[in-house]
Amino acid sequence: MAIKWRIIHLNEVDSTNEYTKRIAGNSPEGTVVVAKRQTSGRGRKGRSWASPEGGLWLSVILKPGRIDPRLVFVGALAVVDTLADFGISSGIKWPNDVWVSGRKIAGVLTEGKGSEYVILGIGLNVNNPVPEWLRESATSMFELTGTEIPLEKVLERLLFHLGGWYRVFLERPDLLMVKVREKTFILGKTVRVIQDEGELAGRALDVLEDGSLLIETPFGSKRVTYGDVSLRPI
Ligand code: BT5
């Protein structure tokens, strides 16, 4: 059965993930919170996420009964497919970024509470200006296509693809991972993975079934479950 979306539109909010967390206990799966702008949009580890008007900032409630690191790919693949619908070719920078031509266009933030719920937050630069401090590293659909795209059209496509990939995740996670590997453009490249406890450098070999990244280092193959991947040489 296709998931039924119920959309809550807000003008301004601190963070759609925070708002959604506040209502998640009493809201059904498929609840979507979209805000025109966020005053404290967040990335991982409390980093800030620029969320001026014109972008798509949303969080959805999923209730798969468990927290699974592969859920982040449900969001990333939905963004990749949505961008393709508008003629933009993109790829996943493991684990949670979507990039176009060397720049970040979207980020996914998953947060969950045990077996109760998972919140999948997605930020996608659509018509919003890319902030000055991100000029070198970020892009938007407007910048890439030269046209303003109605946000509701992008939202409609994104929810369509989210529903599809969520189903694949529930029923055939192996197929989800096939698509993730296909779209993960860092595979075969030399990368650095920055983690709390230090850095790891090597060649990205594969995304394993559990969603972790396999790196070939001078000290043997290592499995990485989290971190920031950089393609810049040391
Ligand atoms: C992410 O974190 O990429 C996850 C971003 C999730 C944002 C959505 S918006 C709706 C929902 N509500 C929230 O509060 N959050 C979610 P991370 O991988 O940690 O990347 C954060 C980094 O991305 C920042 O440190 C900046 O370098 C960069 N960044 C910030 N804003 C950006 C933007 N609008 N476009 C591209 N890059 C950005």
Side-chain angles (χ1 to χ4, degrees):
M1 254 241 313
I3 194 163
K4 252 213 170 112
W5 301 114
R6 188 181 66 107
I7 306 174
I8 300 171
H9 287 279
L10 304 172
N11 276 326
E12 186 175 285
V13 71
D14 47 356
S15 145
T16 55
N17 263 41
E18 287 306 318
Y19 182 96
T20 308
K21 240 186 259 176
R22 298 194 279 268
I23 63 166
N26 299 315
S27 306
E29 175 167 80
T31 303
V32 184
V33 176
V34 192
K36 282 195 178 141
R37 50 189 179 273
Q38 300 182 112
T39 52
S40 316
R42 285 187 302 102
R44 291 173 301 159
K45 295 172 175 287
R47 291 176 194 138
S48 93
W49 180 262
S51 324
E53 209 160 320
L56 194 54
W57 325 122
L58 70 124
S59 301
V60 306
I61 298 175
L62 300 175
K63 302 203 169 178
R66 68 203 140 100
I67 296 174
D68 187 312
R70 294 172 299 186
L71 277 163
V72 72
F73 303 130
V74 169
L77 285 176
V79 171
V80 168
D81 282 355
T82 300
L83 290 171
D85 289 343
F86 293 96
I88 299 169
S89 162
S90 63
I92 298 175
K93 185 158 85 65
W94 183 94
N96 67 315
D97 283 8
V98 178
W99 277 33
V100 179
S101 323
R103 284 163 201 248
K104 181 161 171 170
I105 192 163
V108 183
L109 179 67
T110 47
E111 300 180 279
K113 189 173 176 204
S115 59
E116 234 185 280
Y117 60 78
V118 170
I119 291 164
L120 189 66
I122 299 178
L124 172 60
N125 296 320
V126 183
N127 304 314
N128 56 298
V130 173
E132 204 50 51
W133 59 285
L134 295 166
R135 277 247 67 91
E136 298 289 299
S137 61
T139 189
S140 68
M141 293 176 78
F142 178 72
E143 200 169 273
L144 293 163
T145 61
T147 38
E148 282 215 6
I149 304 165
L151 277 183
E152 58 278 12
K153 271 198 187 166
V154 185
L155 176 64
E156 190 273 317
R157 295 318 295 158
L158 187 61
L159 292 179
F160 172 77
H161 292 302
L162 260 183
W165 284 116
Y166 182 49
R167 227 172 122 181
V168 176
F169 162 81
L170 292 173
E171 291 169 12
R172 290 293 305 272
D174 55 322
L175 293 185
L176 180 85
M177 296 315 295
V178 168
K179 186 75 173 181
V180 167
R181 283 182 201 104
E182 194 186 299
K183 291 293 172 188
T184 300
F185 66 87
I186 59 167
L187 295 185
K189 295 197 164 70
T190 300
V191 298
R192 282 185 299 139
V193 184
I194 299 125
Q195 298 188 303
D196 290 342
E197 60 274 15
E199 249 184 64
L200 206 73
R203 204 158 65 95
L205 291 182
D206 197 7
V207 184
L208 302 176
E209 275 313 292
D210 64 356
S212 57
L213 184 68
L214 188 67
I215 311 266
E216 180 184 53
T217 78
F219 317 102
S221 298
K222 302 257 189 255
R223 214 182 118 249
V224 177
T225 55
Y226 79 96
D228 286 299
V229 171
S230 169
L231 289 162
R232 250 174 267 144
I234 302 162

Short mmCIF file of all heavy atoms in Angstrom, two decimals, residues 49-113:
data_model
loop_
_atom_site.label_atom_id
_atom_site.label_comp_id
_atom_site.label_asym_id
_atom_site.label_seq_id
_atom_site.Cartn_x
_atom_site.Cartn_y
_atom_site.Cartn_z
N TRP A 49 22.05 24.68 9.18
CA TRP A 49 21.60 24.46 7.82
C TRP A 49 20.91 25.73 7.34
O TRP A 49 19.89 26.15 7.92
CB TRP A 49 20.63 23.27 7.74
CG TRP A 49 20.16 23.03 6.34
CD1 TRP A 49 18.99 23.45 5.77
CD2 TRP A 49 20.89 22.35 5.30
NE1 TRP A 49 18.94 23.08 4.46
CE2 TRP A 49 20.10 22.39 4.13
CE3 TRP A 49 22.14 21.72 5.24
CZ2 TRP A 49 20.51 21.82 2.92
CZ3 TRP A 49 22.54 21.15 4.04
CH2 TRP A 49 21.72 21.20 2.90
N ALA A 50 21.46 26.38 6.33
CA ALA A 50 20.90 27.63 5.82
C ALA A 50 19.55 27.35 5.18
O ALA A 50 19.45 26.52 4.28
CB ALA A 50 21.85 28.23 4.79
N SER A 51 18.51 28.02 5.66
CA SER A 51 17.15 27.72 5.22
C SER A 51 16.34 28.96 4.90
O SER A 51 15.26 29.18 5.46
CB SER A 51 16.40 26.93 6.30
OG SER A 51 17.25 26.05 6.99
N PRO A 52 16.82 29.82 3.99
CA PRO A 52 16.03 31.00 3.65
C PRO A 52 14.83 30.62 2.78
O PRO A 52 14.77 29.50 2.27
CB PRO A 52 17.02 31.86 2.85
CG PRO A 52 17.99 30.89 2.25
CD PRO A 52 18.07 29.73 3.23
N GLU A 53 13.90 31.56 2.63
CA GLU A 53 12.71 31.30 1.83
C GLU A 53 13.10 30.93 0.39
O GLU A 53 14.08 31.46 -0.15
CB GLU A 53 11.82 32.55 1.82
CG GLU A 53 10.39 32.20 1.67
CD GLU A 53 9.47 33.32 2.13
OE1 GLU A 53 9.75 33.96 3.16
OE2 GLU A 53 8.46 33.53 1.45
N GLY A 54 12.33 30.02 -0.20
CA GLY A 54 12.59 29.61 -1.58
C GLY A 54 13.12 28.19 -1.69
O GLY A 54 13.13 27.59 -2.76
N GLY A 55 13.58 27.64 -0.55
CA GLY A 55 14.06 26.26 -0.55
C GLY A 55 12.98 25.33 -0.02
O GLY A 55 11.94 25.78 0.49
N LEU A 56 13.22 24.06 -0.14
CA LEU A 56 12.27 23.07 0.38
C LEU A 56 12.84 22.48 1.66
O LEU A 56 13.87 21.80 1.63
CB LEU A 56 12.06 21.99 -0.69
CG LEU A 56 10.86 21.06 -0.50
CD1 LEU A 56 9.56 21.83 -0.33
CD2 LEU A 56 10.75 20.11 -1.70
N TRP A 57 12.21 22.81 2.77
CA TRP A 57 12.68 22.36 4.09
C TRP A 57 11.55 21.54 4.70
O TRP A 57 10.48 22.07 4.99
CB TRP A 57 13.03 23.56 4.99
CG TRP A 57 13.63 24.74 4.28
CD1 TRP A 57 13.14 26.01 4.27
CD2 TRP A 57 14.83 24.76 3.47
NE1 TRP A 57 13.95 26.83 3.50
CE2 TRP A 57 14.99 26.09 3.01
CE3 TRP A 57 15.77 23.82 3.09
CZ2 TRP A 57 16.05 26.49 2.18
CZ3 TRP A 57 16.83 24.21 2.27
CH2 TRP A 57 16.96 25.52 1.84
N LEU A 58 11.76 20.26 4.85
CA LEU A 58 10.67 19.43 5.34
C LEU A 58 11.16 18.25 6.16
O LEU A 58 12.33 17.85 6.07
CB LEU A 58 9.84 18.90 4.16
CG LEU A 58 10.52 17.85 3.30
CD1 LEU A 58 9.68 16.59 3.23
CD2 LEU A 58 10.78 18.37 1.93
N SER A 59 10.23 17.73 6.97
CA SER A 59 10.50 16.51 7.74
C SER A 59 9.29 15.61 7.63
O SER A 59 8.15 16.08 7.63
CB SER A 59 10.73 16.86 9.22
OG SER A 59 11.81 17.76 9.35
N VAL A 60 9.54 14.32 7.54
CA VAL A 60 8.43 13.37 7.49
C VAL A 60 8.55 12.37 8.64
O VAL A 60 9.65 12.05 9.07
CB VAL A 60 8.34 12.61 6.14
CG1 VAL A 60 8.32 13.56 4.98
CG2 VAL A 60 9.48 11.63 5.99
N ILE A 61 7.40 11.91 9.10
CA ILE A 61 7.37 10.90 10.16
C ILE A 61 7.21 9.53 9.52
O ILE A 61 6.28 9.31 8.74
CB ILE A 61 6.20 11.15 11.14
CG1 ILE A 61 6.35 12.51 11.82
CG2 ILE A 61 6.12 10.02 12.18
CD1 ILE A 61 5.18 12.89 12.72
N LEU A 62 8.14 8.65 9.85
CA LEU A 62 8.04 7.27 9.39
C LEU A 62 7.99 6.38 10.63
O LEU A 62 8.57 6.72 11.66
CB LEU A 62 9.24 6.89 8.52
CG LEU A 62 9.43 7.74 7.25
CD1 LEU A 62 10.72 7.36 6.54
CD2 LEU A 62 8.23 7.58 6.31
N LYS A 63 7.29 5.27 10.52
CA LYS A 63 7.20 4.37 11.67
C LYS A 63 7.51 2.94 11.24
O LYS A 63 6.64 2.06 11.26
CB LYS A 63 5.82 4.50 12.34
CG LYS A 63 5.52 5.95 12.79
CD LYS A 63 4.48 6.06 13.89
CE LYS A 63 4.46 7.49 14.45
NZ LYS A 63 3.49 7.75 15.48
N PRO A 64 8.77 2.71 10.88
CA PRO A 64 9.14 1.37 10.44
C PRO A 64 9.34 0.40 11.59
O PRO A 64 9.61 -0.78 11.36
CB PRO A 64 10.47 1.61 9.70
CG PRO A 64 11.05 2.82 10.35
CD PRO A 64 9.91 3.65 10.85
N GLY A 65 9.26 0.90 12.82
CA GLY A 65 9.38 0.02 13.99
C GLY A 65 10.81 -0.14 14.48
O GLY A 65 11.06 -0.88 15.44
N ARG A 66 11.75 0.53 13.82
CA ARG A 66 13.14 0.45 14.25
C ARG A 66 13.92 1.60 13.61
O ARG A 66 13.49 2.16 12.60
CB ARG A 66 13.76 -0.88 13.81
CG ARG A 66 13.92 -0.99 12.31
CD ARG A 66 13.98 -2.43 11.84
NE ARG A 66 13.23 -2.58 10.61
CZ ARG A 66 13.78 -2.62 9.41
NH1 ARG A 66 15.07 -2.55 9.26
NH2 ARG A 66 13.05 -2.75 8.33
N ILE A 67 15.06 1.90 14.21
CA ILE A 67 15.94 2.88 13.58
C ILE A 67 16.90 2.10 12.71
O ILE A 67 17.46 1.10 13.15
CB ILE A 67 16.70 3.69 14.66
CG1 ILE A 67 15.71 4.49 15.51
CG2 ILE A 67 17.72 4.61 14.02
CD1 ILE A 67 16.33 5.20 16.68
N ASP A 68 17.06 2.51 11.49
CA ASP A 68 17.93 1.79 10.57
C ASP A 68 18.77 2.82 9.82
O ASP A 68 18.21 3.74 9.22
CB ASP A 68 17.04 0.98 9.59
CG ASP A 68 17.85 0.06 8.70
OD1 ASP A 68 18.85 0.52 8.11
OD2 ASP A 68 17.47 -1.12 8.59
N PRO A 69 20.09 2.67 9.84
CA PRO A 69 20.93 3.68 9.17
C PRO A 69 20.66 3.81 7.68
O PRO A 69 20.97 4.84 7.07
CB PRO A 69 22.36 3.19 9.44
CG PRO A 69 22.25 1.79 9.93
CD PRO A 69 20.87 1.61 10.49
N ARG A 70 20.03 2.81 7.08
CA ARG A 70 19.78 2.88 5.64
C ARG A 70 18.61 3.80 5.29
O ARG A 70 18.40 4.11 4.12
CB ARG A 70 19.51 1.47 5.09
CG ARG A 70 20.73 0.57 5.18
CD ARG A 70 20.40 -0.83 4.82
NE ARG A 70 19.40 -1.40 5.73
CZ ARG A 70 19.01 -2.66 5.72
NH1 ARG A 70 19.52 -3.49 4.86
NH2 ARG A 70 18.10 -3.10 6.57
N LEU A 71 17.86 4.24 6.31
CA LEU A 71 16.73 5.13 6.02
C LEU A 71 17.19 6.46 5.41
O LEU A 71 16.46 7.09 4.66
CB LEU A 71 15.94 5.40 7.30
CG LEU A 71 14.92 4.31 7.64
CD1 LEU A 71 14.48 4.42 9.08
CD2 LEU A 71 13.72 4.38 6.70
N VAL A 72 18.41 6.84 5.73
CA VAL A 72 18.93 8.09 5.17
C VAL A 72 18.97 8.01 3.63
O VAL A 72 18.73 8.99 2.93
CB VAL A 72 20.33 8.43 5.77
CG1 VAL A 72 21.42 7.50 5.26
CG2 VAL A 72 20.71 9.86 5.51
N PHE A 73 19.19 6.80 3.11
CA PHE A 73 19.26 6.62 1.66
C PHE A 73 17.88 6.75 1.00
O PHE A 73 17.79 7.08 -0.18
CB PHE A 73 19.87 5.26 1.30
CG PHE A 73 21.24 5.05 1.89
CD1 PHE A 73 21.54 3.88 2.59
CD2 PHE A 73 22.24 6.00 1.75
CE1 PHE A 73 22.79 3.68 3.14
CE2 PHE A 73 23.50 5.81 2.30
CZ PHE A 73 23.78 4.64 2.99
N VAL A 74 16.83 6.45 1.78
CA VAL A 74 15.47 6.63 1.26
C VAL A 74 15.30 8.11 0.88
O VAL A 74 14.80 8.45 -0.19
CB VAL A 74 14.42 6.19 2.31
CG1 VAL A 74 13.02 6.61 1.91
CG2 VAL A 74 14.49 4.67 2.52
N GLY A 75 15.77 8.98 1.77
CA GLY A 75 15.69 10.42 1.51
C GLY A 75 16.61 10.84 0.37
O GLY A 75 16.20 11.58 -0.53
N ALA A 76 17.84 10.36 0.40
CA ALA A 76 18.81 10.78 -0.62
C ALA A 76 18.38 10.33 -2.02
O ALA A 76 18.45 11.10 -2.98
CB ALA A 76 20.19 10.24 -0.27
N LEU A 77 17.90 9.09 -2.13
CA LEU A 77 17.48 8.60 -3.45
C LEU A 77 16.24 9.34 -3.94
O LEU A 77 16.09 9.59 -5.14
CB LEU A 77 17.21 7.09 -3.40
CG LEU A 77 18.44 6.19 -3.34
CD1 LEU A 77 18.01 4.73 -3.19
CD2 LEU A 77 19.32 6.35 -4.58
N ALA A 78 15.34 9.67 -3.01
CA ALA A 78 14.14 10.43 -3.41
C ALA A 78 14.55 11.79 -3.97
O ALA A 78 13.97 12.27 -4.96
CB ALA A 78 13.20 10.59 -2.22
N VAL A 79 15.57 12.40 -3.38
CA VAL A 79 16.05 13.69 -3.90
C VAL A 79 16.67 13.50 -5.28
O VAL A 79 16.40 14.26 -6.21
CB VAL A 79 17.07 14.34 -2.93
CG1 VAL A 79 17.73 15.56 -3.57
CG2 VAL A 79 16.41 14.75 -1.61
N VAL A 80 17.50 12.47 -5.42
CA VAL A 80 18.16 12.20 -6.71
C VAL A 80 17.10 12.02 -7.82
O VAL A 80 17.21 12.59 -8.90
CB VAL A 80 19.07 10.94 -6.60
CG1 VAL A 80 19.52 10.46 -7.97
CG2 VAL A 80 20.28 11.24 -5.72
N ASP A 81 16.05 11.25 -7.53
CA ASP A 81 15.01 11.01 -8.53
C ASP A 81 14.20 12.28 -8.81
O ASP A 81 13.77 12.53 -9.94
CB ASP A 81 14.06 9.91 -8.05
CG ASP A 81 14.66 8.52 -8.25
OD1 ASP A 81 15.75 8.42 -8.84
OD2 ASP A 81 14.04 7.53 -7.80
N THR A 82 13.97 13.07 -7.76
CA THR A 82 13.23 14.33 -7.95
C THR A 82 14.03 15.26 -8.86
O THR A 82 13.49 15.86 -9.79
CB THR A 82 12.99 15.00 -6.58
OG1 THR A 82 12.22 14.10 -5.78
CG2 THR A 82 12.24 16.32 -6.73
N LEU A 83 15.32 15.37 -8.59
CA LEU A 83 16.15 16.25 -9.42
C LEU A 83 16.13 15.76 -10.87
O LEU A 83 16.06 16.57 -11.80
CB LEU A 83 17.58 16.29 -8.87
CG LEU A 83 17.73 17.04 -7.54
CD1 LEU A 83 19.13 16.83 -6.95
CD2 LEU A 83 17.46 18.54 -7.72
N ALA A 84 16.16 14.44 -11.05
CA ALA A 84 16.13 13.88 -12.41
C ALA A 84 14.83 14.28 -13.12
O ALA A 84 14.84 14.56 -14.32
CB ALA A 84 16.27 12.36 -12.36
N ASP A 85 13.73 14.32 -12.38
CA ASP A 85 12.45 14.74 -12.97
C ASP A 85 12.52 16.16 -13.54
O ASP A 85 11.74 16.52 -14.41
CB ASP A 85 11.32 14.71 -11.91
CG ASP A 85 10.94 13.30 -11.53
OD1 ASP A 85 11.28 12.36 -12.28
OD2 ASP A 85 10.30 13.12 -10.46
N PHE A 86 13.44 16.96 -12.97
CA PHE A 86 13.58 18.34 -13.45
C PHE A 86 14.85 18.49 -14.31
O PHE A 86 15.37 19.59 -14.49
CB PHE A 86 13.59 19.31 -12.26
CG PHE A 86 12.25 19.36 -11.56
CD1 PHE A 86 12.02 18.57 -10.44
CD2 PHE A 86 11.22 20.15 -12.05
CE1 PHE A 86 10.78 18.58 -9.80
CE2 PHE A 86 9.99 20.17 -11.42
CZ PHE A 86 9.75 19.38 -10.30
N GLY A 87 15.36 17.37 -14.79
CA GLY A 87 16.47 17.40 -15.74
C GLY A 87 17.84 17.58 -15.10
O GLY A 87 18.80 17.92 -15.80
N ILE A 88 17.94 17.37 -13.79
CA ILE A 88 19.23 17.57 -13.11
C ILE A 88 19.80 16.22 -12.70
O ILE A 88 19.15 15.44 -12.00
CB ILE A 88 19.06 18.48 -11.87
CG1 ILE A 88 18.54 19.86 -12.28
CG2 ILE A 88 20.38 18.60 -11.10
CD1 ILE A 88 18.09 20.73 -11.12
N SER A 89 21.03 15.96 -13.11
CA SER A 89 21.66 14.69 -12.77
C SER A 89 22.51 14.88 -11.50
O SER A 89 23.33 15.80 -11.42
CB SER A 89 22.51 14.27 -13.97
OG SER A 89 23.44 13.32 -13.57
N SER A 90 22.30 14.02 -10.50
CA SER A 90 22.98 14.20 -9.22
C SER A 90 23.46 12.86 -8.69
O SER A 90 23.15 11.80 -9.24
CB SER A 90 22.01 14.83 -8.21
OG SER A 90 20.92 13.95 -7.98
N GLY A 91 24.22 12.92 -7.61
CA GLY A 91 24.71 11.69 -7.01
C GLY A 91 24.75 11.83 -5.49
O GLY A 91 24.63 12.94 -4.94
N ILE A 92 24.93 10.70 -4.82
CA ILE A 92 24.96 10.69 -3.35
C ILE A 92 26.41 10.74 -2.87
O ILE A 92 27.24 9.96 -3.33
CB ILE A 92 24.30 9.41 -2.80
CG1 ILE A 92 22.83 9.34 -3.22
CG2 ILE A 92 24.42 9.35 -1.27
CD1 ILE A 92 22.13 8.04 -2.82
N LYS A 93 26.68 11.68 -1.97
CA LYS A 93 27.96 11.63 -1.27
C LYS A 93 27.66 10.99 0.07
O LYS A 93 27.02 11.60 0.92
CB LYS A 93 28.57 13.03 -1.10
CG LYS A 93 29.99 12.93 -0.46
CD LYS A 93 30.82 14.15 -0.75
CE LYS A 93 30.56 15.25 0.23
NZ LYS A 93 30.94 14.97 1.62
N TRP A 94 28.10 9.74 0.18
CA TRP A 94 27.79 8.97 1.39
C TRP A 94 28.10 9.78 2.64
O TRP A 94 29.13 10.42 2.68
CB TRP A 94 28.65 7.69 1.37
CG TRP A 94 28.40 6.75 2.50
CD1 TRP A 94 27.55 5.70 2.51
CD2 TRP A 94 29.01 6.76 3.79
NE1 TRP A 94 27.59 5.06 3.72
CE2 TRP A 94 28.48 5.70 4.53
CE3 TRP A 94 29.96 7.59 4.41
CZ2 TRP A 94 28.85 5.43 5.85
CZ3 TRP A 94 30.33 7.33 5.72
CH2 TRP A 94 29.79 6.26 6.42
N PRO A 95 27.24 9.75 3.67
CA PRO A 95 25.99 9.02 3.66
C PRO A 95 24.75 9.86 3.33
O PRO A 95 23.75 9.30 2.93
CB PRO A 95 25.88 8.56 5.12
CG PRO A 95 26.52 9.67 5.90
CD PRO A 95 27.61 10.24 5.01
N ASN A 96 24.82 11.19 3.49
CA ASN A 96 23.55 11.93 3.51
C ASN A 96 23.50 13.18 2.65
O ASN A 96 22.60 13.99 2.80
CB ASN A 96 23.23 12.34 4.95
CG ASN A 96 24.22 13.36 5.47
OD1 ASN A 96 25.43 13.22 5.27
ND2 ASN A 96 23.74 14.41 6.08
N ASP A 97 24.48 13.34 1.74
CA ASP A 97 24.47 14.54 0.90
C ASP A 97 24.06 14.18 -0.52
O ASP A 97 24.39 13.09 -1.00
CB ASP A 97 25.89 15.10 0.75
CG ASP A 97 26.36 15.86 1.97
OD1 ASP A 97 25.67 15.84 2.99
OD2 ASP A 97 27.45 16.45 1.85
N VAL A 98 23.43 15.13 -1.20
CA VAL A 98 23.22 14.98 -2.64
C VAL A 98 23.99 16.11 -3.32
O VAL A 98 23.86 17.28 -2.93
CB VAL A 98 21.72 15.01 -3.01
CG1 VAL A 98 21.55 14.90 -4.53
CG2 VAL A 98 20.97 13.87 -2.31
N TRP A 99 24.79 15.74 -4.27
CA TRP A 99 25.68 16.68 -4.95
C TRP A 99 25.39 16.75 -6.44
O TRP A 99 25.00 15.75 -7.05
CB TRP A 99 27.13 16.25 -4.78
CG TRP A 99 27.77 16.67 -3.50
CD1 TRP A 99 27.18 16.81 -2.28
CD2 TRP A 99 29.16 17.00 -3.31
NE1 TRP A 99 28.11 17.19 -1.34
CE2 TRP A 99 29.33 17.32 -1.94
CE3 TRP A 99 30.27 17.04 -4.16
CZ2 TRP A 99 30.56 17.69 -1.41
CZ3 TRP A 99 31.50 17.41 -3.63
CH2 TRP A 99 31.64 17.74 -2.27
N VAL A 100 25.62 17.94 -7.01
CA VAL A 100 25.57 18.11 -8.46
C VAL A 100 26.85 18.82 -8.86
O VAL A 100 27.15 19.89 -8.30
CB VAL A 100 24.35 18.98 -8.89
CG1 VAL A 100 24.33 19.15 -10.40
CG2 VAL A 100 23.04 18.35 -8.42
N SER A 101 27.58 18.25 -9.76
CA SER A 101 28.84 18.85 -10.26
C SER A 101 29.71 19.43 -9.14
O SER A 101 30.08 20.60 -9.18
CB SER A 101 28.57 19.96 -11.28
OG SER A 101 27.51 19.68 -12.10
N GLY A 102 29.99 18.61 -8.15
CA GLY A 102 30.93 19.03 -7.11
C GLY A 102 30.36 19.97 -6.07
O GLY A 102 31.10 20.52 -5.25
N ARG A 103 29.07 20.21 -6.07
CA ARG A 103 28.46 21.08 -5.07
C ARG A 103 27.26 20.41 -4.41
O ARG A 103 26.55 19.65 -5.05
CB ARG A 103 27.98 22.40 -5.69
CG ARG A 103 29.11 23.34 -5.98
CD ARG A 103 28.65 24.41 -6.94
NE ARG A 103 29.80 25.01 -7.59
CZ ARG A 103 30.18 26.27 -7.38
NH1 ARG A 103 29.49 27.05 -6.58
NH2 ARG A 103 31.24 26.73 -8.00
N LYS A 104 27.05 20.79 -3.16
CA LYS A 104 25.96 20.18 -2.41
C LYS A 104 24.64 20.90 -2.72
O LYS A 104 24.56 22.11 -2.62
CB LYS A 104 26.28 20.28 -0.91
CG LYS A 104 25.26 19.67 0.02
CD LYS A 104 25.89 19.42 1.38
CE LYS A 104 24.89 19.01 2.42
NZ LYS A 104 25.52 18.56 3.67
N ILE A 105 23.63 20.12 -3.06
CA ILE A 105 22.32 20.73 -3.34
C ILE A 105 21.31 20.34 -2.27
O ILE A 105 20.32 21.03 -2.07
CB ILE A 105 21.82 20.32 -4.76
CG1 ILE A 105 20.62 21.18 -5.18
CG2 ILE A 105 21.48 18.84 -4.86
CD1 ILE A 105 20.33 21.16 -6.66
N ALA A 106 21.56 19.23 -1.55
CA ALA A 106 20.60 18.77 -0.54
C ALA A 106 21.31 17.98 0.54
O ALA A 106 22.38 17.41 0.33
CB ALA A 106 19.53 17.89 -1.19
N GLY A 107 20.68 17.96 1.72
CA GLY A 107 21.18 17.16 2.83
C GLY A 107 20.01 16.47 3.52
O GLY A 107 18.88 16.96 3.50
N VAL A 108 20.29 15.31 4.09
CA VAL A 108 19.26 14.53 4.78
C VAL A 108 19.69 14.33 6.22
O VAL A 108 20.86 14.05 6.49
CB VAL A 108 19.07 13.14 4.10
CG1 VAL A 108 17.93 12.37 4.78
CG2 VAL A 108 18.80 13.29 2.61
N LEU A 109 18.74 14.50 7.13
CA LEU A 109 19.03 14.33 8.55
C LEU A 109 17.98 13.39 9.16
O LEU A 109 16.81 13.74 9.23
CB LEU A 109 18.97 15.69 9.26
CG LEU A 109 19.22 15.71 10.76
CD1 LEU A 109 20.66 15.34 11.08
CD2 LEU A 109 18.90 17.09 11.34
N THR A 110 18.42 12.20 9.56
CA THR A 110 17.46 11.27 10.17
C THR A 110 17.67 11.24 11.68
O THR A 110 18.80 11.20 12.17
CB THR A 110 17.64 9.83 9.64
OG1 THR A 110 19.01 9.49 9.67
CG2 THR A 110 17.12 9.67 8.25
N GLU A 111 16.57 11.26 12.40
CA GLU A 111 16.63 11.17 13.85
C GLU A 111 15.49 10.25 14.27
O GLU A 111 14.44 10.24 13.64
CB GLU A 111 16.44 12.55 14.48
CG GLU A 111 17.50 13.55 14.04
CD GLU A 111 17.30 14.90 14.68
OE1 GLU A 111 16.47 15.67 14.18
OE2 GLU A 111 17.96 15.17 15.69
N GLY A 112 15.72 9.49 15.34
CA GLY A 112 14.65 8.57 15.70
C GLY A 112 14.54 8.36 17.19
O GLY A 112 15.42 8.76 17.96
N LYS A 113 13.44 7.75 17.58
CA LYS A 113 13.25 7.40 18.97
C LYS A 113 12.92 5.90 19.02
O LYS A 113 11.76 5.50 18.80
CB LYS A 113 12.11 8.23 19.57
CG LYS A 113 12.01 8.07 21.07
CD LYS A 113 11.00 9.05 21.65
CE LYS A 113 10.85 8.80 23.14
NZ LYS A 113 9.58 9.26 23.67
#
